[in-house]
Amino acid sequence: MSASAFGKVAVLLGGRSAEREVSLKSGAMVLRALRARGVDAHPFDPQQRSLAELIAEKFDRVFIALHGRYGEDGTIQGALELLGIPYTGSGVLASALAMDKWRTKLVWQAAGIPTPRYELLTAASDLRAVVARLSLPLMVKPANEGSSIGMSKVRAAAELDEAYALAANYDSVVLAEQFIEGIELTAAVLGGEALPLIKLETPREFYDYEAKYVTDDTRYIIPCGLAAGAESAVRQQVLAAFGALGCSGWGRVDLMLDGAGNPWFIEVNTSPGMTDHSLVPMAARHAGLSFEDLVLRILELAHVG
């Protein structure tokens, strides 16, 4: 598509979630890339402006660079469908499902997609019994946050109370999840294709918020080191995991590869980061797509419903 064919484009950024600062960075980079390619793109922060202004100002298309609640959970997608404005990424149902790590697991279990064992935690849970059933180490996480916010890796039973309290600050639904020892991988999905896998290595306890956005000691390894046939098989399973939730357009699937080479799917991000530390642009670059090419391709995939 030519730049003019996109019409007037709103880049939704910022928003009201705990990931606001990351979203502002993602949105600024997307905006710069679109403008560099001649697209009539404008920043739009729904925390500060009414969505009615999208109609009043005659926007033709929306690039969603929001992360977390109200931007990645089906809320903004439903509003844009009511307004009749094409938007990037997955639809209402898929966005809502993927944002909810618990219900993602329920769907994957029903579809036969391998995902680590887990239990829901409440204030009344017998945390020691949970440890006995799932074994250590465990990941404890709020069900509806991204960017590893509120997440902890628990290596000793005594740490579980504090980890639960932290996660419960962000969500009433908290998961304790079996930790898969092995290789951490992430897979970008773009237009029905899984891009080359990226292997993540960090000296931190896990790939947390600091490792994602702040420190410079995280290693991103691409090619990931798997044999071509093994990587191809994992990429096919990535598409199955993505598709089982009804996701479309673009996104990112996070998984672990255990010692036997079996993939275990962790979560799907339907509006992944687009910062200078972000993984989807990195995978796209390895596949021959510049950041500007990637942003235009995502915008081409915009849809209503």
Side-chain angles (χ1 to χ4, degrees), residues 55-92:
I55 296 294
E57 297 184 22
K58 295 182 169 57
F59 282 102
D60 299 296
R61 194 173 290 229
V62 165
F63 191 115
I64 299 175
L66 298 168
H67 308 315
R69 295 174 195 255
Y70 312 115
E72 199 171 351
D73 61 359
T75 305
I76 197 73
Q77 290 78 9
L80 292 169
E81 291 198 10
L82 285 171
L83 295 175
I85 302 175
Y87 60 90
T88 57
S90 292
V92 176

Side-chain angles (χ1 to χ4, degrees), residues 243-298:
L245 299 178
C247 296
S248 59
W250 76 299
R252 198 188 77 233
V253 180
D254 297 336
L255 63 144
M256 297 293 296
L257 211 61
D258 67 20
N262 301 309
W264 295 87
F265 289 89
I266 308 297
E267 65 177 289
V268 174
N269 291 272
T270 54
S271 182
M274 292 289 277
T275 71
D276 51 359
H277 275 65
S278 295
L279 298 163
V280 174
M282 195 179 304
R285 194 160 56 244
H286 190 77
L289 280 177
S290 69
F291 188 87
E292 292 173 4
D293 290 334
L294 170 64
V295 169
L296 282 182
R297 178 69 179 128
I298 292 169

Side-chain angles (χ1 to χ4, degrees), residues 13-237:
L13 76 176
R16 294 162 48 196
S17 82
E19 298 176 75
R20 175 176 172 80
E21 293 307 313
V22 178
S23 173
L24 288 170
K25 291 178 183 177
S26 290
M29 290 195 68
V30 167
L31 185 67
R32 191 179 308 125
L34 289 174
R35 287 176 168 175
R37 287 298 179 89
V39 176
D40 181 20
H42 305 262
F44 193 103
D45 187 344
Q47 186 196 53
Q48 300 172 350
R49 303 179 67 183
S50 164
L51 294 180
E53 294 178 50
L54 291 170
I55 296 294
E57 297 184 22
K58 295 182 169 57
F59 282 102
D60 299 296
R61 194 173 290 229
V62 165
F63 191 115
I64 299 175
L66 298 168
H67 308 315
R69 295 174 195 255
Y70 312 115
E72 199 171 351
D73 61 359
T75 305
I76 197 73
Q77 290 78 9
L80 292 169
E81 291 198 10
L82 285 171
L83 295 175
I85 302 175
Y87 60 90
T88 57
S90 292
V92 176
L93 176 61
S95 298
L97 277 174
M99 187 67 194
D100 187 325
K101 296 178 182 67
W102 174 37
R103 288 172 174 85
T104 289
K105 282 180 168 291
L106 294 176
V107 171
W108 279 347
Q109 287 172 326
I113 305 293
T115 188
R117 293 184 303 123
Y118 71 97
E119 291 195 24
L120 296 182
L121 300 183
T122 70
S125 293
D126 182 343
L127 299 182
R128 301 304 178 271
V130 170
V131 168
R133 288 190 292 269
L134 294 181
S135 301
L136 293 170
L138 291 172
M139 298 303 299
V140 176
K141 57 183 77 172
N144 291 280
E145 285 293 347
S147 293
S148 300
I149 290 170
M151 189 182 298
S152 305
K153 185 176 182 179
V154 174
R155 291 190 173 276
E159 300 169 0
L160 195 51
D161 296 88
E162 185 177 346
Y164 169 73
L166 174 64
N169 279 335
Y170 293 95
D171 197 348
S172 59
V173 181
V174 175
L175 287 121
E177 181 181 69
Q178 170 196 20
F179 181 77
I180 303 296
E181 298 283 357
I183 297 170
E184 187 163 5
L185 297 171
T186 192
V189 176
L190 179 65
E193 178 187 0
L195 300 184
L197 303 176
I198 302 174
K199 179 181 177 182
L200 307 173
E201 291 184 350
T202 174
R204 303 178 67 83
E205 273 292 306
F206 65 99
Y207 187 52
D208 61 8
Y209 186 93
E210 295 289 314
K212 288 176 178 176
Y213 302 113
V214 180
T215 66
D216 290 318
D217 55 6
T218 303
R219 294 183 66 214
Y220 305 98
I221 302 167
I222 183 169
C224 69
L226 293 180
E231 176 165 355
S232 177
V234 172
R235 284 162 73 173
Q236 284 303 118
Q237 288 174 289

